Amino acid sequence: MSVIDVLRERGFIQQTTHQEPLYELLEREKVTFYVGFDPTADSLHIGHMLPIMAMHHMQEAGHRPIAILGGGTAMIGDPSGRTDMRKMLTEEQIDHNASCFKEQLSRFIDFSDGKALMINNAEWLRDLNYIAFLREVGSQFSVNRMLTAECYKSRMERGLTFIEFNYMLLQSYDFLMLYRKYGCKLQMGGDDQWSNILSGADLIRRLERGEAYGITFPLLTTSSGKKMGKTEAGAVWLDAQKTSPYDFYQYWRNTDDRDVERFLALYTFLPMDEVRRLGSLKDREINEAKKVLAYEVTRLTHGEEAAKEAQKAAEALFGNAGDESAVPAIPLDRNAVVSGLPIADLLVVAKLAPSKSEARRLIAQGGITLNDQKVTDTNQTVTMDDFPGDEALIKKGKKQFQRIILQ
RNA sequence: GGAGGGGUUCCCGAGUGGCCAAAGGGGGCAGACUGUAAAUCUGUUGGCAUUGCCUUCGAAGGUUCAAAUCCUUCCCCCUCCA
């Protein structure tokens, strides 16, 4: 079975250029391909997982992935799909973020022996000569045609700076440089990158009369319309320091019924027969599928051990069978409690409420439970008695838990 | 550069001297119902304090007993013209 078929069956492919020749190319030879990542934060998040999984599938099929870090382009900001101009980063920030990415990517992609590459496009962009660039690349682009691209059209309403307008040329130039230096013939990216990918492939065909192709991934939203990986608390990160494995697990555990099968196909390596079986479960049964999904994705991202712990913690909190010590905890100085601590303050310390007013509101609405006891008095103070074994468990709403350990 | 319009709380959007912490909607949070799902209904949604106080309506000044609302300067955005 061809990788393309695998990717297609699992739901990775939104559009491709030159279907037939691309299909043949991937059958015929080991292809070097690339995916771009913008190093705008110091960790990847769930939104990046789709391309990462796709890269893994491709590598498994014998192709060579290149992860391009947009060190140069991040200094400009891509207008695609954005309503505002993106903030520009300093070189130091970008370099730091890039090194964080590599570590995370290594969990999914084998970088040993040149089986995959990671390249910063600053390598060729930072010292680019403007005149030379205009002559070689700029001459190949028609402004008229660029303006018809959806990503620019929508920005025409709100305003578009010249620097952003150049983004398409720079990304095309990346593709060109990778083609020349590494024989890279394929670019993959989100569907919002379609026009940038197309123009890159065109540029290679025009200047080098070479073969170049593109594949885009669907832009995922959950069935309830949210962007993938975004919660009210912010992005769900792959860095365990920024999003604990437990929270990561919970994100997947709470997947909408309608998304379970799609996500199992995209974010796990389970055989499709199994994916379809799990996805067809109905009603309460589908919770089994969600557990598998949560466990598998957590295992891939944080390792077997962390996944098991997260699962145990979830079982302890939701099924009262399991090991509560696996629940993430935060420390609290026991001196703060000895003389009695207002419950509202405790909630703030536990990060379950952003302010004491909010904490009081939560209590008044019956949303707080302390050690299985619903808190009813806004003015209650907690004392050492509330910390049997030096710890307490606070629950906010139905499924947010925080363990507090005295130190 | 010229003319006009505008910047309000998480977002959209009312509000043109006191009744404004600021209508309404969206989103969020909580409660009920449930399957750690969805949908629905209810409550709530600046901060601190048990009456009350403090901070907020692009920024800084000013007028006034009193300003989101009036005046001055500045910054930013949009439309038309160059």
Side-chain angles (χ1 to χ4, degrees):
Chain A
M1 195 173 176
S2 154
V3 228
I4 293 267
D5 291 328
V6 171
L7 291 176
R8 203 182 292 281
E9 182 179 30
R10 302 193 82 108
F12 281 96
I13 295 182
Q14 178 77 21
Q15 307 188 68
T16 69
T17 64
H18 317 85
Q19 275 223 48
E20 289 307 313
L22 172 60
Y23 202 97
E24 282 162 28
L25 175 75
L26 289 169
E27 289 300 285
R28 190 173 71 229
E29 51 186 86
K30 303 298 176 204
V31 176
T32 298
F33 67 99
Y34 94 93
V35 177
F37 294 90
D38 271 340
T40 42
D42 61 2
S43 169
L44 295 163
H45 54 75
I46 285 186
H48 294 114
M49 284 188 73
L50 194 76
I52 294 173
M53 295 298 284
M55 286 166 87
H56 180 102
H57 284 292
M58 290 286 286
Q59 186 173 47
E60 200 145 71
H63 304 295
R64 180 171 67 151
I66 298 180
I68 279 286
L69 291 167
T73 29
M75 295 200 295
I76 292 188
D78 175 10
S80 307
R82 288 178 192 268
T83 46
D84 299 316
M85 187 163 161
R86 188 148 64 188
K87 70 168 184 187
M88 299 196 220
L89 299 173
T90 66
E91 291 191 27
E92 293 72 40
Q93 284 172 313
I94 290 165
D95 289 342
H96 168 73
N97 295 348
S99 68
C100 294
F101 279 20
K102 176 147 192 182
E103 200 188 316
Q104 293 180 358
L105 282 171
S106 305
R107 295 201 291 255
F108 297 86
I109 294 157
D110 181 5
F111 283 95
S112 65
D113 307 322
K115 279 183 234 151
L117 303 172
M118 169 163 289
I119 297 165
N120 188 336
N121 68 0
E123 203 180 289
W124 53 80
L125 287 184
R126 274 179 195 168
D127 299 319
L128 195 59
N129 177 292
Y130 191 57
I131 298 297
F133 180 76
L134 284 181
R135 284 178 65 108
E136 184 180 18
V137 179
S139 60
Q140 301 297 323
F141 282 79
S142 149
V143 171
N144 303 44
R145 224 168 24 135
M146 284 172 75
L147 288 175
T148 61
E150 191 51 43
C151 58
Y152 290 120
K153 238 195 261 173
S154 53
R155 282 303 298 273
M156 293 304 284
E157 321 253 312
R158 300 198 57 88
L160 178 68
T161 62
F162 185 68
I163 198 174
E164 291 174 286
F165 189 60
N166 278 270
Y167 193 83
M168 182 184 273
L169 305 219
L170 289 174
Q171 190 169 327
S172 300
Y173 188 67
D174 280 349
F175 200 173
L176 178 66
M177 293 308 278
L178 288 170
Y179 178 87
R180 284 180 179 160
K181 292 186 168 199
Y182 303 95
C184 176
K185 293 180 181 171
L186 170 65
Q187 178 178 183
M188 303 173 91
D191 200 51
D192 54 342
Q193 298 297 314
W194 178 244
S195 47
N196 292 340
I197 292 173
L198 267 183
S199 67
D202 276 351
L203 184 66
I204 291 170
R205 283 162 186 274
R206 236 174 282 171
L207 291 180
E208 303 292 316
R209 284 199 272 128
E211 272 191 296
Y213 305 91
I215 294 178
T216 62
F217 308 120
L219 295 178
L220 279 201
T221 51
T222 62
S223 289
S224 47
K226 284 211 185 72
K227 228 188 198 163
M228 194 59 203
K230 293 283 183 198
T231 67
E232 287 317 309
V236 180
W237 304 99
L238 302 197
D239 180 345
Q241 298 303 310
K242 293 167 85 88
T243 298
S244 72
Y246 170 79
D247 287 328
F248 187 86
Y249 178 93
Q250 283 299 321
Y251 177 83
W252 296 101
R253 181 59 249 265
N254 284 310
T255 298
D256 192 308
D257 286 10
R258 295 167 289 180
D259 294 326
V260 173
E261 183 166 331
R262 204 158 49 112
F263 288 0
L264 279 166
L266 290 168
Y267 297 108
T268 74
F269 296 119
L270 296 177
M272 282 307 287
D273 288 344
E274 179 68 357
V275 168
R276 278 187 281 265
R277 185 188 71 77
L278 288 167
S280 64
L281 295 174
K282 289 280 177 287
D283 303 320
R284 331 166 65 110
E285 298 271 287
I286 201 164
N287 276 309
E288 287 314 307
K290 294 184 191 181
K291 281 181 198 166
V292 172
L293 173 66
Y295 177 79
E296 283 298 313
V297 185
T298 310
R299 186 175 64 81
L300 289 172
T301 309
H302 294 296
E304 183 122 29
E305 202 173 313
K308 280 192 176 137
E309 282 215 350
Q311 193 169 43
K312 264 194 281 176
E315 275 164 18
L317 295 173
F318 292 97
N320 36 5
D323 186 0
E324 245 173 53
S325 67
V327 180
I330 62 171
L332 176 66
D333 184 356
R334 63 169 11 92
N335 293 326
V337 180
V338 175
S339 52
L341 181 69
I343 182 88
D345 290 276
L346 182 62
L347 289 173
V348 174
V349 171
K351 298 203 170 65
L352 290 172
S355 71
K356 288 197 237 174
S357 298
E358 178 74 34
R360 272 188 220 99
R361 222 175 277 132
L362 277 165
I363 296 165
Q365 295 184 113
I368 295 297
T369 304
L370 174 63
N371 298 327
D372 288 328
Q373 278 272 305
K374 182 165 273 195
V375 177
T376 49
D377 179 7
T378 315
N379 296 316
Q380 182 180 330
T381 54
V382 294
T383 61
M384 291 305 287
D385 296 340
D386 294 308
F387 291 84
D390 274 356
E391 62 174 82
L393 183 68
I394 313 176
K395 179 180 168 195
K396 173 199 169 195
K398 288 180 194 60
K399 47 195 182 192
Q400 269 180 272
F401 295 86
Q402 187 59 263
R403 211 155 55 106
I404 311 281
I405 299 182
L406 292 185
Q407 306 234 302

